[in-house]
C-alpha cells in the first residue's frame, strides 16, 4: 500500500506538476520529496554528487550543517566541536528533529552517526560516550538503540542504514598513522585467519582469531615491523566496529523494523582470505531478505538513493547486457578489489534486480573497459568499445565503466571525446576502485533508466542528471588523468608541500587553487565542447515516444579541495538551457 501511495504522490509531483518551481530556462521542476540524509563524510561522492542523484529522481536531500559531518586530516583546522571528525551528538539530535518535523525517509551513515565518519571509524579503538546538548550522556550502544527505536515508532518511515566492514588498515595522515604504519597494518590484515563457519561465527571467536594465521599459529609482530600497542589499537577498533554493526543488525531483525533496510559496504579489501573474511561472513549471516553486503563504500549513498526510488516506484527490473573489452574481467581490477569484475557486477545486478539479456533483447547496456590482457592490443579494445557505443545499438541506453585502472593513460578518454557523444551516456564512472566504480555507474544509470521508463521526467530532474554525468566525466577524463599529476608535482616541487595534505607543511592554498583552475580550464575544453554538442535521452518508448534534447552550455567555477589534498576536487557546474537535438554532421553533432 505504501509503495502505491508513493507512486501516486510522485506521479502527482512529476506529471501534473504540483507546486512547480519555474527554472530560468523556462522549464519546470515539480515539488520534491524530502529525504533526511546523514553523509558518510564531506567528500564529493557523499555530498554534491549524492545531491545531484537525488534531485534527478524527484527527491531533495535535507542534511545537517557541514561542520557536523566534516573530516579533517592531521594539522588541518579542527571542526567547531574541536575534533577532526563529525559531531555525533549534533547529528543524533538533528535526526530526531527531522522525525519530529514529520520526515519519513532517511538515509543514514552509521559510520558518521556512531564514529564521526568513515576515517574516524578506523581509528576509534574504545567506546566514547556522547553528551547531548541538554547534558544527557549516552553510551554508543544507547545512542544507537534510542535512534533506531525512535525511528521505528513511525510505521510510515522508510529508513536506509549504511554501514561498512572496516578496511585492512587505518588512514594515512589521520590520528597518529603514517604511511609506514598503514603499510605494516595492511600487510598484517591481508594474512588469512582461521576460517570460521556456522555456530563458530561469533564476535568473540572472530576477535580471538584476529592474531592468528590460518594454521592457528600466532602472527609474529616483528615480521610486520609492528609493535604491540599498534596492533592492540587496530584490533580494538575492529572489535568496536563489528560490535556496533552486530547491535544494529540484531535490532532491525526484530518485529517493527520491516521498513528498515541495511546496506553494508566492504571497505578497501584485498585477497579474500584476509582479516575481513570472518567479519564479512558473520555480518552476512545476520542480513534479512532485502538487506545487502556489497563491495565498495564510497558509493553506498548512491546505491541507497537509487534503491529508494526503485522500490517506491514499483521497479520490476530490466534486461541488461554486459560487454567487456580488454579481456581481464575474470580477475580483480586492482589491489583494493578482492573479487573479479564479473563477480562484482553479478552482485550489483542482484541488488538492482537486473537480469542478463538474451542476444538482441537488452533494454539497457553496460560497457566495461578492463585492463588489457594484451598490451599490444590496447587500441583494438578501445576502438571495439567505441564502435559498440556508436553502432547499430546506439539507441539502446548505455552505462560506461572504465576499469582500466590507468593502464590506457589518456588514450581511451581522448578517443571517446573525439568520437562519442559523451552526453548521451546514462552514466559513467572510472575515478575510483572498481568495486566503487561499478556501484556508482549502475546506481546512476539504472536510476536514470527507471526514471525515463516511468515517464514524466521534468526539466529539473534532467538538469540534475546532467550534473551527475558532467561531474563524473570531467573529473575522471580531465582531473584524474591530466591535471592531478601536474598539481602533485607543483605542490611537491614548487611549493615544498605534501600533495596528500596541504597543511603538512602549510602551503599557499590560493596558489594551489589557481594552479588547479588554470589546469582545468585547458584540460576540460574539448570535453565540454563534446558535451555541449551532445544529445541526451529524454523519453523511452516504454513510457512515450523515444525523444532527445541537446545539451546547452557547461561552465565550471569555484574549484576547491574538500580535504585539502590533491586526491579529489569539487567544483560548481552551471548548465545553460537545453536545446533542440543537435544534427549529426561529418561524424559528430553540431548545432
Amino acid at each position: 500500500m505504501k509503495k502505491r501511495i508513493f507512486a501516486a504522490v510522485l506521479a502527482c509531483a512529476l506529471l501534473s506538476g504540483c507546486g512547480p518551481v519555474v527554472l530560468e530556462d523556462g522549464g519546470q521542476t515539480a515539488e520534491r520529496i524530502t529525504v533526511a540524509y546523514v553523509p558518510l563524510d564531506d567528500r564529493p561522492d557523499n555530498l554534491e554528487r549524492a545531491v545531484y542523484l537525488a534531485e534527478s529522481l524527484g527527491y531533495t536531500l535535507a542534511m545537517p550543517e557541514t561542520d557536523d559531518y566534516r573530516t579533517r586530516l592531521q594539522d588541518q583546522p579542527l571542526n567547531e566541536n574541536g575534533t577532526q571528525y563529525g559531531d555525533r551528538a549534533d547529528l543524533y539530535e538533528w535526526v530526531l528533529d527531522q522525525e519530529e518535523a514529520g520526515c519519513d525517509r532517511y538515509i543514514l551513515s552509521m559510520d558518521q552517526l556512531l564514529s564521526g565518519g568513515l576515517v574516524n571509524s578506523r581509528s576509534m579503538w574504545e567506546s566514547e560516550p556522547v553528551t547531548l546538548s541538554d547534558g544527557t550522556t549516552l553510551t554508543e550502544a544507547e545512542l544507537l538503540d534510542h535512534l533506531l527505536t525512535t525511528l521505528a515508532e513511525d510505521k510510515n518511515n522508510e529508513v536506509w542504514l549504511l554501514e561498512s566492514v572496516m578496511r585492512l588498515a587505518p588512514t594515512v595522515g589521520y590520528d597518529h598513522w603514517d604511511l609506514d604504519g598503514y603499510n605494516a597494518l595492511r600487510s598484517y590484515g591481508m594474512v588469512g585467519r582461521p576460517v570460521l563457519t556456522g555456530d563458530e561465527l561469533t564476535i568473540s571467536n572472530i576477535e580471538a582469531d584476529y592474531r592468528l594465521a590460518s594454521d592457528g599459529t600466532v602472527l609474529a609482530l616483528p615480521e610486520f615491523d609492528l609493535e604491540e600497542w599498534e596492533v592492540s589499537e587496530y584490533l580494538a577498533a575492529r572489535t568496536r566496529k563489528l560490535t556496533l554493526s552486530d547491535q544494529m543488525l540484531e535490532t532491525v531483525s526484530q518485529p517493527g523494523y520491516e521498513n528498515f533496510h541495511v546496506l553494508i559496504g566492504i571497505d578497501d579489501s584485498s585477497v579474500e582470505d584476509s582479516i575481513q573474511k570472518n567479519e564479512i561472513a558473520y555480518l552476512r549471516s545476520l542480513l534479512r531478505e532485502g538487506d545487502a553486503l556489497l563491495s565498495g563504500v564510497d558509493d553506498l549513498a548512491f546505491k541507497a538513493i537509487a534503491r529508494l526510488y526503485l522500490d517506491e516506484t514499483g521497479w520490476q527490473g530490466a534486461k541488461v547486457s554486459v560487454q567487456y573489452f580488454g579481456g581481464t574481467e575474470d580477475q580483480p581490477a586492482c589491489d583494493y578489489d578482492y573479487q573479479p569484475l564479473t563477480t562484482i557486477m553479478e552482485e550489483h545486478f542482484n541488488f538492482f534486480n537486473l537480469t542478463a539479456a538474451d542476444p538482441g533483447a537488452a533494454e539497457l547496456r553496460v560497457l566495461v573497459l578492463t585492463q588489457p590482457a594484451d598490451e599490444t592490443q590496447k587500441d583494438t579494445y578501445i576502438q571495439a568499445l567505441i564502435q559498440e557505443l556508436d553502432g547499430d545499438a546506439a539507441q539502446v541506453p548505455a552505462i560506461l565503466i572504465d576499469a582500466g585502472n590507468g593502464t590506457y593513460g589518456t588514450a581511451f578518454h581522448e578517443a571517446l571525446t573525439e568520437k562519442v557523444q559523451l552526453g548521451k551516456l546514462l552514466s559513467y564512472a572510472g575515478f575510483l576502485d572498481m568495486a566503487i566504480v561499478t556501484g556508482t555507474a549502475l546506481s546512476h544509470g539504472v536510476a536514470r533508466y527507471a526514471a525515463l521508463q516511468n515517464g514524466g521526467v521534468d526539466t529539473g530532474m534532467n538538469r540534475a542528471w546532467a550534473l551527475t554525468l558532467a561531474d563524473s566525466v570531467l573529473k575522471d577524463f580531465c582531473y584524474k588523468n591530466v591535471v592531478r599529476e601536474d598539481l602533485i608535482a607543483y605542490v611537491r616541487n614548487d611549493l615544498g608541500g605534501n600533495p596528500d595534505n596541504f597543511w603538512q607543511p602549510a602551503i599557499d592554498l590560493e596558489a594551489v587553487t589557481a594552479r588547479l583552475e588554470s589546469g582545468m580550464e585547458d584540460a576540460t575544453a574539448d570535453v565540454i565542447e563534446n558535451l555541449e554538442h551532445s544529445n541526451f535521452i529524454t523519453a523511452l518508448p516504454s513510457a512515450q515516444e523515444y525523444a532527445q534534447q541537446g545539451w546547452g552550455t557547461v561552465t565550471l567555477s569555484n574549484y576547491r579541495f574538500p580535504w585539502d589534498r590533491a586526491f579529489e576536487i569539487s567544483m560548481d557546474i552551471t548548465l545553460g538551457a537545453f536545446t533542440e537535438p543537435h544534427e549529426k554532421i561529418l561524424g559528430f553533432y553540431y548545432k
Side-chain angles (χ1 to χ4, degrees), residues 206-224:
I206 292 171
E207 185 179 17
D209 285 349
Y210 274 157
R211 293 176 177 270
L212 304 181
S214 57
D215 62 2
T217 60
V218 177
L219 293 167
L221 302 190
E223 293 182 7
F224 301 92

Side-chain angles (χ1 to χ4, degrees), residues 255-310:
Y257 290 87
E258 290 77 13
N259 292 336
F260 282 63
H261 315 273
V262 174
L263 177 55
I264 304 175
I266 303 172
D267 207 352
D268 293 347
S269 190
S270 184
V271 291
E272 184 182 5
D273 289 329
S274 70
I275 198 170
Q276 292 178 322
K277 184 166 186 174
N278 288 327
E279 296 172 339
I280 292 169
Y282 178 70
L283 295 174
R284 277 211 169 108
S285 73
L286 299 178
L287 297 180
R288 306 160 301 162
E289 183 176 355
D291 295 336
L293 193 156
L294 300 168
S295 294
V297 168
D298 292 335
D299 60 341
L300 285 175
F302 300 151
K303 287 187 258 202
I305 292 168
R307 271 291 303 272
L308 178 66
Y309 175 79
L310 296 176

Side-chain angles (χ1 to χ4, degrees), residues 324-331 368-374 381 408:
Y324 297 96
F325 303 83
T328 60
E329 62 270 16
D330 59 349
Q331 56 190 266
V368 185
L369 182 68
T370 75
Q371 292 192 49
D374 183 345
Y381 302 140
Y408 294 86

